[in-house]
Amino acid sequence: MPALLKRVARAPGGGRGKWFVLAAWLIVAVALGPLAGKLGDVEDTSANAFLPRSAESARVNTELEKFRTDTIMPAVVVYTGSDAEAKAATDRAAFAPHVADGEELSRPIPSEDGKAVMTVVPLDSEDDITGTIDELRKIADADVPPGVDVEVGGPAGSLTDSVAVFDSLDSTLMLATGLVVAALLLITYRSPVLWLLPLLAVGFAAVITQVVTYLLARYAGLPVDPQSAGVLMVLVFGVGTDYALLLIARYREELHRHVDRHDAMHIALGRSGPAVLASAGTIAAGLVCLAVADINSSRSLGLVGAVGVVCAFLAMVTVLPALLVITGRWVFWPFVPQYGTLARKPRTVWSRIGAAVARRPRWSWMMSVAVTGVLALSTIGITMGLTQAEMFQDKPESVVAQERISAHYPSGASDPAKIVTSTGRASEVRAAAAAVDGVARVEAGGDRTPDGDRTSLSVVLDDAPDGRAAKHTIDELRGAVRQVEGADALVGGTTAQALDTQRAADRDLRTVVPIVLLVVLGVLIWLLRALVAPLLLLATVVLSYLAALGASHLLFEHVLGFAGVDWSIPLMGFVFLVALGIDYNIFLMHRVREEATRLGPSRGVLEGLTSTGGVITSAGVVLAATFAVFAGLPLVTMAQMGVLVGTGVVLDTFLVRTVLVPALALDLGRWFWWPGRLFRHMPRGEHALRAGASPATPDPDHEPA
């Protein structure tokens, strides 16, 4: 692999190769760029895209597609106030043109307390649901009498409000992420030109990522949903910028050692390449592990994210080196690296931190473990699960409508559960369902499939569709209808979907986590050629994840005011933080291993920390800031993801990688590298540096083995 990387490194850093690489990327971007805009065409926005593959509720959705080609999606208009009935009667005539063909618009349904009126408008889901809901809301908002409130909700209203969030998601994320990355690169490099090159390379990566994702979704069945498409661009920007920072830092270092910039790039790419490859491989492999998840949206996020990481890696090790070599040293202006000046660099904050950790390494890692452990204890008492009303930072109209319905009707009236059963046993299934506690009523009649074999029944629950009591009722309902022999009855609907997703998320967490840990451990063993170091590094990342989850819980509860944590967050956060968090340990320990071959384990740790401290900190800040963009989104799930990943990356950058890992390596000395070559070839008495020690200054002309 090192030999292969060296051969590959000669292309983008070569005299003629750099022009060939740049031309190739330009041709690909121009030829395939139009396909990048088609990613939205292959996004799956169906209900099953966010459900477990094995869920009974997903099977119900599939069954319901057999009943008619123009599947009905109801909108529910709820009126409250003294003149509600008059307003509802007026609007009913205006709603009529929007009713699906062959369906009947319901008469206004008054509540038992006489304080509300509800109208159900059946819409054709094959039409433009969001446009129709907008029209219904305009009608409902026109000429509203004083003291009357009108909201349009129901399944069609909820879909419209969710689509509105995702419609602005891609553009908002792209703009915010681009601005954040550009600002941080300007601060990092303090150069009016250099910051443009990583951003340009990431732009190439973003285009090719969208193209590849579209082609795989179109022709290879890659699952893509709006959430994974939104996260994809943030991941590409964050990871791509990380790799750019690492490569540019090593290239600038080599420019101090070599007169010819092509030689400097060959060496920089050859030596940083394995770390970048291991990082990309770890993240991609960790995300691919989500392919075994049961929840379709988790599988989509994992597989799509892996595509993005691979494309970001390819761009950063090809087009970015070509751009750097083409522009030459002047691109670093006003801090142009000059040949032979590396030995005169002053002591940095990272060398001081290393010296402080070296004085008391055991105390340093024990205090770090204590801090992260206290934060990890905050995970105790986390409230899991969010209702529909709690999924948005600002309540959309559909959520307000559901609250009104719950206050004046059986809470499930706007979104009944669905039972699909054999027609011959439909009456028995109806009777069994009606006898279940928590069921308000089973609607009369029922649709049949064209062949008459299957019948669907609507079941109104007493409780709110996404409440805990309603989920218990679904369990009881499923148990009751299964007792009807030969009915082959299935129970679905919004409440059943929430219940199935909750249970699948718990199963996925127990299944995916061990697989991710084994994959990451394998990559670390391959990279470091040791066993103790990989095990300890993996343990630090897991501890950092638990600390990040605990800290995020405190932020959710006491600062951001979230009612709970979405069921998908622990698994998604674990995969992202273990895969991304191990990044910085890979960058650090790869350099430490390189330096330890000539300076010894302890001095190698300090030199590695000093050399990589600035760039890894910059990379961590960039990655944390890109994910923090999610915190401002209206969807609570994505906001929680951003806060968790951002918090975890900050902990990894400033505590785990800066103090905990170096302290463990210094305290264990040569045993940190057991049973690898470094352990076997270092003197047994080699221990951590003591007070006043400082890392050896490397010879500018020396090339580490």
PDB file of all heavy atoms in Angstrom, residues 48-82:
ATOM      1  N   ASN A  48     -42.385   4.500   3.845  1.00  0.00           N
ATOM      2  CA  ASN A  48     -41.514   3.352   4.103  1.00  0.00           C
ATOM      3  C   ASN A  48     -40.032   3.705   4.055  1.00  0.00           C
ATOM      4  O   ASN A  48     -39.195   2.944   4.534  1.00  0.00           O
ATOM      5  CB  ASN A  48     -41.807   2.237   3.100  1.00  0.00           C
ATOM      6  CG  ASN A  48     -43.070   1.477   3.438  1.00  0.00           C
ATOM      7  OD1 ASN A  48     -43.743   1.772   4.427  1.00  0.00           O
ATOM      8  ND2 ASN A  48     -43.428   0.507   2.613  1.00  0.00           N
ATOM      9  N   ALA A  49     -39.674   4.858   3.477  1.00  0.00           N
ATOM     10  CA  ALA A  49     -38.263   5.258   3.422  1.00  0.00           C
ATOM     11  C   ALA A  49     -37.708   5.524   4.808  1.00  0.00           C
ATOM     12  O   ALA A  49     -36.486   5.487   5.000  1.00  0.00           O
ATOM     13  CB  ALA A  49     -38.112   6.505   2.548  1.00  0.00           C
ATOM     14  N   PHE A  50     -38.573   5.779   5.773  1.00  0.00           N
ATOM     15  CA  PHE A  50     -38.127   6.092   7.129  1.00  0.00           C
ATOM     16  C   PHE A  50     -38.528   5.013   8.126  1.00  0.00           C
ATOM     17  O   PHE A  50     -38.413   5.216   9.335  1.00  0.00           O
ATOM     18  CB  PHE A  50     -38.704   7.448   7.568  1.00  0.00           C
ATOM     19  CG  PHE A  50     -38.299   8.586   6.670  1.00  0.00           C
ATOM     20  CD1 PHE A  50     -39.085   8.943   5.589  1.00  0.00           C
ATOM     21  CD2 PHE A  50     -37.128   9.275   6.895  1.00  0.00           C
ATOM     22  CE1 PHE A  50     -38.711   9.991   4.755  1.00  0.00           C
ATOM     23  CE2 PHE A  50     -36.742  10.320   6.073  1.00  0.00           C
ATOM     24  CZ  PHE A  50     -37.535  10.670   4.998  1.00  0.00           C
ATOM     25  N   LEU A  51     -38.996   3.882   7.623  1.00  0.00           N
ATOM     26  CA  LEU A  51     -39.466   2.808   8.499  1.00  0.00           C
ATOM     27  C   LEU A  51     -38.517   1.616   8.469  1.00  0.00           C
ATOM     28  O   LEU A  51     -37.710   1.475   7.543  1.00  0.00           O
ATOM     29  CB  LEU A  51     -40.856   2.348   8.056  1.00  0.00           C
ATOM     30  CG  LEU A  51     -42.002   3.351   8.233  1.00  0.00           C
ATOM     31  CD1 LEU A  51     -43.294   2.755   7.688  1.00  0.00           C
ATOM     32  CD2 LEU A  51     -42.163   3.737   9.694  1.00  0.00           C
ATOM     33  N   PRO A  52     -38.607   0.738   9.452  1.00  0.00           N
ATOM     34  CA  PRO A  52     -37.835  -0.511   9.410  1.00  0.00           C
ATOM     35  C   PRO A  52     -38.315  -1.398   8.265  1.00  0.00           C
ATOM     36  O   PRO A  52     -39.511  -1.451   7.959  1.00  0.00           O
ATOM     37  CB  PRO A  52     -38.131  -1.157  10.773  1.00  0.00           C
ATOM     38  CG  PRO A  52     -38.632  -0.042  11.641  1.00  0.00           C
ATOM     39  CD  PRO A  52     -39.336   0.904  10.728  1.00  0.00           C
ATOM     40  N   ARG A  53     -37.365  -2.105   7.663  1.00  0.00           N
ATOM     41  CA  ARG A  53     -37.722  -2.983   6.552  1.00  0.00           C
ATOM     42  C   ARG A  53     -38.680  -4.080   6.985  1.00  0.00           C
ATOM     43  O   ARG A  53     -39.552  -4.495   6.234  1.00  0.00           O
ATOM     44  CB  ARG A  53     -36.452  -3.615   5.965  1.00  0.00           C
ATOM     45  CG  ARG A  53     -35.590  -2.667   5.169  1.00  0.00           C
ATOM     46  CD  ARG A  53     -34.318  -3.347   4.712  1.00  0.00           C
ATOM     47  NE  ARG A  53     -33.421  -3.619   5.834  1.00  0.00           N
ATOM     48  CZ  ARG A  53     -32.271  -4.276   5.729  1.00  0.00           C
ATOM     49  NH1 ARG A  53     -31.901  -4.762   4.559  1.00  0.00           N
ATOM     50  NH2 ARG A  53     -31.504  -4.456   6.779  1.00  0.00           N
ATOM     51  N   SER A  54     -38.494  -4.584   8.208  1.00  0.00           N
ATOM     52  CA  SER A  54     -39.290  -5.719   8.678  1.00  0.00           C
ATOM     53  C   SER A  54     -40.553  -5.294   9.414  1.00  0.00           C
ATOM     54  O   SER A  54     -41.270  -6.142   9.948  1.00  0.00           O
ATOM     55  CB  SER A  54     -38.430  -6.580   9.616  1.00  0.00           C
ATOM     56  OG  SER A  54     -38.025  -5.825  10.764  1.00  0.00           O
ATOM     57  N   ALA A  55     -40.851  -4.005   9.468  1.00  0.00           N
ATOM     58  CA  ALA A  55     -41.955  -3.517  10.282  1.00  0.00           C
ATOM     59  C   ALA A  55     -43.307  -3.947   9.718  1.00  0.00           C
ATOM     60  O   ALA A  55     -43.525  -3.947   8.505  1.00  0.00           O
ATOM     61  CB  ALA A  55     -41.895  -1.999  10.390  1.00  0.00           C
ATOM     62  N   GLU A  56     -44.221  -4.283  10.620  1.00  0.00           N
ATOM     63  CA  GLU A  56     -45.581  -4.615  10.212  1.00  0.00           C
ATOM     64  C   GLU A  56     -46.262  -3.404   9.584  1.00  0.00           C
ATOM     65  O   GLU A  56     -47.030  -3.531   8.625  1.00  0.00           O
ATOM     66  CB  GLU A  56     -46.378  -5.097  11.418  1.00  0.00           C
ATOM     67  CG  GLU A  56     -47.802  -5.531  11.093  1.00  0.00           C
ATOM     68  CD  GLU A  56     -48.516  -6.162  12.278  1.00  0.00           C
ATOM     69  OE1 GLU A  56     -47.824  -6.747  13.143  1.00  0.00           O
ATOM     70  OE2 GLU A  56     -49.759  -6.057  12.333  1.00  0.00           O
ATOM     71  N   SER A  57     -45.960  -2.217  10.106  1.00  0.00           N
ATOM     72  CA  SER A  57     -46.572  -1.005   9.556  1.00  0.00           C
ATOM     73  C   SER A  57     -46.111  -0.759   8.118  1.00  0.00           C
ATOM     74  O   SER A  57     -46.869  -0.227   7.296  1.00  0.00           O
ATOM     75  CB  SER A  57     -46.223   0.207  10.426  1.00  0.00           C
ATOM     76  OG  SER A  57     -44.819   0.336  10.587  1.00  0.00           O
ATOM     77  N   ALA A  58     -44.869  -1.124   7.796  1.00  0.00           N
ATOM     78  CA  ALA A  58     -44.394  -0.992   6.412  1.00  0.00           C
ATOM     79  C   ALA A  58     -45.135  -1.962   5.498  1.00  0.00           C
ATOM     80  O   ALA A  58     -45.456  -1.629   4.349  1.00  0.00           O
ATOM     81  CB  ALA A  58     -42.888  -1.237   6.348  1.00  0.00           C
ATOM     82  N   ARG A  59     -45.406  -3.175   6.001  1.00  0.00           N
ATOM     83  CA  ARG A  59     -46.166  -4.140   5.207  1.00  0.00           C
ATOM     84  C   ARG A  59     -47.583  -3.628   4.954  1.00  0.00           C
ATOM     85  O   ARG A  59     -48.156  -3.845   3.873  1.00  0.00           O
ATOM     86  CB  ARG A  59     -46.198  -5.485   5.930  1.00  0.00           C
ATOM     87  CG  ARG A  59     -44.841  -6.164   6.030  1.00  0.00           C
ATOM     88  CD  ARG A  59     -44.900  -7.366   6.961  1.00  0.00           C
ATOM     89  NE  ARG A  59     -45.883  -8.354   6.518  1.00  0.00           N
ATOM     90  CZ  ARG A  59     -46.358  -9.330   7.294  1.00  0.00           C
ATOM     91  NH1 ARG A  59     -45.938  -9.438   8.561  1.00  0.00           N
ATOM     92  NH2 ARG A  59     -47.231 -10.191   6.820  1.00  0.00           N
ATOM     93  N   VAL A  60     -48.150  -2.928   5.946  1.00  0.00           N
ATOM     94  CA  VAL A  60     -49.487  -2.362   5.765  1.00  0.00           C
ATOM     95  C   VAL A  60     -49.471  -1.305   4.662  1.00  0.00           C
ATOM     96  O   VAL A  60     -50.370  -1.260   3.816  1.00  0.00           O
ATOM     97  CB  VAL A  60     -49.997  -1.762   7.090  1.00  0.00           C
ATOM     98  CG1 VAL A  60     -51.269  -0.936   6.851  1.00  0.00           C
ATOM     99  CG2 VAL A  60     -50.276  -2.864   8.099  1.00  0.00           C
ATOM    100  N   ASN A  61     -48.436  -0.455   4.661  1.00  0.00           N
ATOM    101  CA  ASN A  61     -48.335   0.555   3.603  1.00  0.00           C
ATOM    102  C   ASN A  61     -48.275  -0.097   2.227  1.00  0.00           C
ATOM    103  O   ASN A  61     -48.882   0.388   1.262  1.00  0.00           O
ATOM    104  CB  ASN A  61     -47.092   1.418   3.820  1.00  0.00           C
ATOM    105  CG  ASN A  61     -47.242   2.358   4.997  1.00  0.00           C
ATOM    106  OD1 ASN A  61     -48.350   2.668   5.420  1.00  0.00           O
ATOM    107  ND2 ASN A  61     -46.130   2.817   5.545  1.00  0.00           N
ATOM    108  N   THR A  62     -47.537  -1.183   2.145  1.00  0.00           N
ATOM    109  CA  THR A  62     -47.447  -1.902   0.872  1.00  0.00           C
ATOM    110  C   THR A  62     -48.796  -2.508   0.493  1.00  0.00           C
ATOM    111  O   THR A  62     -49.209  -2.464  -0.678  1.00  0.00           O
ATOM    112  CB  THR A  62     -46.383  -3.004   0.959  1.00  0.00           C
ATOM    113  OG1 THR A  62     -45.124  -2.424   1.325  1.00  0.00           O
ATOM    114  CG2 THR A  62     -46.228  -3.718  -0.374  1.00  0.00           C
ATOM    115  N   GLU A  63     -49.486  -3.046   1.480  1.00  0.00           N
ATOM    116  CA  GLU A  63     -50.801  -3.637   1.224  1.00  0.00           C
ATOM    117  C   GLU A  63     -51.806  -2.571   0.765  1.00  0.00           C
ATOM    118  O   GLU A  63     -52.620  -2.812  -0.136  1.00  0.00           O
ATOM    119  CB  GLU A  63     -51.325  -4.308   2.489  1.00  0.00           C
ATOM    120  CG  GLU A  63     -50.630  -5.603   2.862  1.00  0.00           C
ATOM    121  CD  GLU A  63     -51.193  -6.786   2.089  1.00  0.00           C
ATOM    122  OE1 GLU A  63     -52.416  -6.956   2.051  1.00  0.00           O
ATOM    123  OE2 GLU A  63     -50.383  -7.516   1.496  1.00  0.00           O
ATOM    124  N   LEU A  64     -51.732  -1.392   1.385  1.00  0.00           N
ATOM    125  CA  LEU A  64     -52.694  -0.347   1.051  1.00  0.00           C
ATOM    126  C   LEU A  64     -52.556   0.125  -0.388  1.00  0.00           C
ATOM    127  O   LEU A  64     -53.514   0.652  -0.967  1.00  0.00           O
ATOM    128  CB  LEU A  64     -52.533   0.846   2.005  1.00  0.00           C
ATOM    129  CG  LEU A  64     -52.984   0.603   3.450  1.00  0.00           C
ATOM    130  CD1 LEU A  64     -52.651   1.808   4.317  1.00  0.00           C
ATOM    131  CD2 LEU A  64     -54.483   0.311   3.509  1.00  0.00           C
ATOM    132  N   GLU A  65     -51.375  -0.048  -0.969  1.00  0.00           N
ATOM    133  CA  GLU A  65     -51.187   0.342  -2.364  1.00  0.00           C
ATOM    134  C   GLU A  65     -52.022  -0.513  -3.316  1.00  0.00           C
ATOM    135  O   GLU A  65     -52.258  -0.130  -4.463  1.00  0.00           O
ATOM    136  CB  GLU A  65     -49.703   0.233  -2.737  1.00  0.00           C
ATOM    137  CG  GLU A  65     -48.820   1.240  -2.006  1.00  0.00           C
ATOM    138  CD  GLU A  65     -47.356   1.051  -2.334  1.00  0.00           C
ATOM    139  OE1 GLU A  65     -47.050   0.137  -3.137  1.00  0.00           O
ATOM    140  OE2 GLU A  65     -46.517   1.787  -1.799  1.00  0.00           O
ATOM    141  N   LYS A  66     -52.481  -1.674  -2.859  1.00  0.00           N
ATOM    142  CA  LYS A  66     -53.268  -2.562  -3.707  1.00  0.00           C
ATOM    143  C   LYS A  66     -54.741  -2.146  -3.798  1.00  0.00           C
ATOM    144  O   LYS A  66     -55.468  -2.645  -4.657  1.00  0.00           O
ATOM    145  CB  LYS A  66     -53.217  -3.995  -3.169  1.00  0.00           C
ATOM    146  CG  LYS A  66     -51.807  -4.574  -3.044  1.00  0.00           C
ATOM    147  CD  LYS A  66     -51.858  -5.948  -2.405  1.00  0.00           C
ATOM    148  CE  LYS A  66     -50.462  -6.537  -2.204  1.00  0.00           C
ATOM    149  NZ  LYS A  66     -50.506  -7.861  -1.533  1.00  0.00           N
ATOM    150  N   PHE A  67     -55.163  -1.253  -2.889  1.00  0.00           N
ATOM    151  CA  PHE A  67     -56.593  -0.987  -2.798  1.00  0.00           C
ATOM    152  C   PHE A  67     -57.105  -0.098  -3.922  1.00  0.00           C
ATOM    153  O   PHE A  67     -58.197  -0.250  -4.408  1.00  0.00           O
ATOM    154  CB  PHE A  67     -56.928  -0.364  -1.432  1.00  0.00           C
ATOM    155  CG  PHE A  67     -56.998  -1.402  -0.351  1.00  0.00           C
ATOM    156  CD1 PHE A  67     -55.836  -1.928   0.202  1.00  0.00           C
ATOM    157  CD2 PHE A  67     -58.210  -1.883   0.093  1.00  0.00           C
ATOM    158  CE1 PHE A  67     -55.884  -2.896   1.180  1.00  0.00           C
ATOM    159  CE2 PHE A  67     -58.267  -2.855   1.070  1.00  0.00           C
ATOM    160  CZ  PHE A  67     -57.103  -3.368   1.621  1.00  0.00           C
ATOM    161  N   ARG A  68     -56.285   0.866  -4.326  1.00  0.00           N
ATOM    162  CA  ARG A  68     -56.682   1.707  -5.441  1.00  0.00           C
ATOM    163  C   ARG A  68     -55.444   2.411  -5.959  1.00  0.00           C
ATOM    164  O   ARG A  68     -54.469   2.600  -5.248  1.00  0.00           O
ATOM    165  CB  ARG A  68     -57.752   2.720  -5.038  1.00  0.00           C
ATOM    166  CG  ARG A  68     -57.414   3.545  -3.799  1.00  0.00           C
ATOM    167  CD  ARG A  68     -58.540   4.478  -3.443  1.00  0.00           C
ATOM    168  NE  ARG A  68     -58.801   5.386  -4.537  1.00  0.00           N
ATOM    169  CZ  ARG A  68     -59.915   6.107  -4.642  1.00  0.00           C
ATOM    170  NH1 ARG A  68     -60.876   5.986  -3.762  1.00  0.00           N
ATOM    171  NH2 ARG A  68     -60.087   6.934  -5.660  1.00  0.00           N
ATOM    172  N   THR A  69     -55.492   2.787  -7.217  1.00  0.00           N
ATOM    173  CA  THR A  69     -54.321   3.424  -7.817  1.00  0.00           C
ATOM    174  C   THR A  69     -54.162   4.854  -7.330  1.00  0.00           C
ATOM    175  O   THR A  69     -53.056   5.360  -7.207  1.00  0.00           O
ATOM    176  CB  THR A  69     -54.445   3.433  -9.343  1.00  0.00           C
ATOM    177  OG1 THR A  69     -55.666   4.080  -9.713  1.00  0.00           O
ATOM    178  CG2 THR A  69     -54.456   2.010  -9.869  1.00  0.00           C
ATOM    179  N   ASP A  70     -55.254   5.559  -7.050  1.00  0.00           N
ATOM    180  CA  ASP A  70     -55.160   6.940  -6.572  1.00  0.00           C
ATOM    181  C   ASP A  70     -55.328   6.952  -5.050  1.00  0.00           C
ATOM    182  O   ASP A  70     -56.383   7.262  -4.529  1.00  0.00           O
ATOM    183  CB  ASP A  70     -56.208   7.832  -7.246  1.00  0.00           C
ATOM    184  CG  ASP A  70     -57.607   7.237  -7.140  1.00  0.00           C
ATOM    185  OD1 ASP A  70     -57.719   6.030  -6.886  1.00  0.00           O
ATOM    186  OD2 ASP A  70     -58.581   8.006  -7.305  1.00  0.00           O
ATOM    187  N   THR A  71     -54.273   6.582  -4.338  1.00  0.00           N
ATOM    188  CA  THR A  71     -54.312   6.458  -2.886  1.00  0.00           C
ATOM    189  C   THR A  71     -54.748   7.774  -2.256  1.00  0.00           C
ATOM    190  O   THR A  71     -54.262   8.836  -2.605  1.00  0.00           O
ATOM    191  CB  THR A  71     -52.928   6.068  -2.355  1.00  0.00           C
ATOM    192  OG1 THR A  71     -52.505   4.901  -3.041  1.00  0.00           O
ATOM    193  CG2 THR A  71     -52.967   5.803  -0.878  1.00  0.00           C
ATOM    194  N   ILE A  72     -55.673   7.670  -1.309  1.00  0.00           N
ATOM    195  CA  ILE A  72     -56.234   8.856  -0.678  1.00  0.00           C
ATOM    196  C   ILE A  72     -55.392   9.264   0.519  1.00  0.00           C
ATOM    197  O   ILE A  72     -54.945   8.435   1.315  1.00  0.00           O
ATOM    198  CB  ILE A  72     -57.684   8.580  -0.229  1.00  0.00           C
ATOM    199  CG1 ILE A  72     -58.547   8.259  -1.446  1.00  0.00           C
ATOM    200  CG2 ILE A  72     -58.247   9.779   0.528  1.00  0.00           C
ATOM    201  CD1 ILE A  72     -58.541   9.346  -2.501  1.00  0.00           C
ATOM    202  N   MET A  73     -55.158  10.584   0.643  1.00  0.00           N
ATOM    203  CA  MET A  73     -54.487  11.140   1.808  1.00  0.00           C
ATOM    204  C   MET A  73     -55.373  12.270   2.340  1.00  0.00           C
ATOM    205  O   MET A  73     -55.573  13.278   1.659  1.00  0.00           O
ATOM    206  CB  MET A  73     -53.102  11.672   1.452  1.00  0.00           C
ATOM    207  CG  MET A  73     -52.359  12.243   2.651  1.00  0.00           C
ATOM    208  SD  MET A  73     -50.670  12.735   2.257  1.00  0.00           S
ATOM    209  CE  MET A  73     -49.928  11.129   1.983  1.00  0.00           C
ATOM    210  N   PRO A  74     -55.924  12.118   3.533  1.00  0.00           N
ATOM    211  CA  PRO A  74     -56.874  13.123   4.020  1.00  0.00           C
ATOM    212  C   PRO A  74     -56.181  14.352   4.612  1.00  0.00           C
ATOM    213  O   PRO A  74     -55.120  14.261   5.226  1.00  0.00           O
ATOM    214  CB  PRO A  74     -57.639  12.368   5.104  1.00  0.00           C
ATOM    215  CG  PRO A  74     -56.668  11.343   5.597  1.00  0.00           C
ATOM    216  CD  PRO A  74     -55.842  10.947   4.407  1.00  0.00           C
ATOM    217  N   ALA A  75     -56.805  15.493   4.389  1.00  0.00           N
ATOM    218  CA  ALA A  75     -56.473  16.724   5.118  1.00  0.00           C
ATOM    219  C   ALA A  75     -57.599  16.953   6.113  1.00  0.00           C
ATOM    220  O   ALA A  75     -58.774  16.685   5.816  1.00  0.00           O
ATOM    221  CB  ALA A  75     -56.347  17.900   4.162  1.00  0.00           C
ATOM    222  N   VAL A  76     -57.264  17.407   7.296  1.00  0.00           N
ATOM    223  CA  VAL A  76     -58.262  17.630   8.344  1.00  0.00           C
ATOM    224  C   VAL A  76     -58.246  19.109   8.715  1.00  0.00           C
ATOM    225  O   VAL A  76     -57.205  19.643   9.119  1.00  0.00           O
ATOM    226  CB  VAL A  76     -57.978  16.765   9.587  1.00  0.00           C
ATOM    227  CG1 VAL A  76     -59.028  17.033  10.656  1.00  0.00           C
ATOM    228  CG2 VAL A  76     -57.959  15.293   9.215  1.00  0.00           C
ATOM    229  N   VAL A  77     -59.390  19.763   8.543  1.00  0.00           N
ATOM    230  CA  VAL A  77     -59.516  21.186   8.877  1.00  0.00           C
ATOM    231  C   VAL A  77     -60.315  21.283  10.171  1.00  0.00           C
ATOM    232  O   VAL A  77     -61.447  20.788  10.246  1.00  0.00           O
ATOM    233  CB  VAL A  77     -60.225  21.962   7.756  1.00  0.00           C
ATOM    234  CG1 VAL A  77     -60.173  23.464   8.033  1.00  0.00           C
ATOM    235  CG2 VAL A  77     -59.602  21.647   6.401  1.00  0.00           C
ATOM    236  N   VAL A  78     -59.723  21.899  11.188  1.00  0.00           N
ATOM    237  CA  VAL A  78     -60.374  21.987  12.490  1.00  0.00           C
ATOM    238  C   VAL A  78     -60.645  23.454  12.819  1.00  0.00           C
ATOM    239  O   VAL A  78     -59.780  24.318  12.646  1.00  0.00           O
ATOM    240  CB  VAL A  78     -59.531  21.308  13.592  1.00  0.00           C
ATOM    241  CG1 VAL A  78     -58.153  21.914  13.698  1.00  0.00           C
ATOM    242  CG2 VAL A  78     -60.246  21.367  14.939  1.00  0.00           C
ATOM    243  N   TYR A  79     -61.887  23.732  13.249  1.00  0.00           N
ATOM    244  CA  TYR A  79     -62.335  25.083  13.582  1.00  0.00           C
ATOM    245  C   TYR A  79     -62.667  25.118  15.072  1.00  0.00           C
ATOM    246  O   TYR A  79     -63.348  24.215  15.592  1.00  0.00           O
ATOM    247  CB  TYR A  79     -63.591  25.460  12.798  1.00  0.00           C
ATOM    248  CG  TYR A  79     -63.463  25.347  11.291  1.00  0.00           C
ATOM    249  CD1 TYR A  79     -63.598  24.110  10.648  1.00  0.00           C
ATOM    250  CD2 TYR A  79     -63.246  26.472  10.510  1.00  0.00           C
ATOM    251  CE1 TYR A  79     -63.498  24.002   9.268  1.00  0.00           C
ATOM    252  CE2 TYR A  79     -63.147  26.378   9.128  1.00  0.00           C
ATOM    253  CZ  TYR A  79     -63.273  25.131   8.518  1.00  0.00           C
ATOM    254  OH  TYR A  79     -63.175  25.031   7.150  1.00  0.00           O
ATOM    255  N   THR A  80     -62.239  26.134  15.762  1.00  0.00           N
ATOM    256  CA  THR A  80     -62.588  26.312  17.173  1.00  0.00           C
ATOM    257  C   THR A  80     -63.067  27.741  17.371  1.00  0.00           C
ATOM    258  O   THR A  80     -62.574  28.678  16.734  1.00  0.00           O
ATOM    259  CB  THR A  80     -61.380  26.042  18.089  1.00  0.00           C
ATOM    260  OG1 THR A  80     -60.274  26.857  17.681  1.00  0.00           O
ATOM    261  CG2 THR A  80     -60.957  24.581  18.047  1.00  0.00           C
ATOM    262  N   GLY A  81     -64.046  27.917  18.257  1.00  0.00           N
ATOM    263  CA  GLY A  81     -64.595  29.244  18.528  1.00  0.00           C
ATOM    264  C   GLY A  81     -66.101  29.257  18.399  1.00  0.00           C
ATOM    265  O   GLY A  81     -66.732  28.276  17.961  1.00  0.00           O
ATOM    266  N   SER A  82     -66.719  30.378  18.716  1.00  0.00           N
ATOM    267  CA  SER A  82     -68.181  30.458  18.798  1.00  0.00           C
ATOM    268  C   SER A  82     -68.864  30.351  17.438  1.00  0.00           C
ATOM    269  O   SER A  82     -69.956  29.801  17.324  1.00  0.00           O
ATOM    270  CB  SER A  82     -68.582  31.783  19.472  1.00  0.00           C
ATOM    271  OG  SER A  82     -68.012  32.886  18.765  1.00  0.00           O
TER     272      SER A  82
END
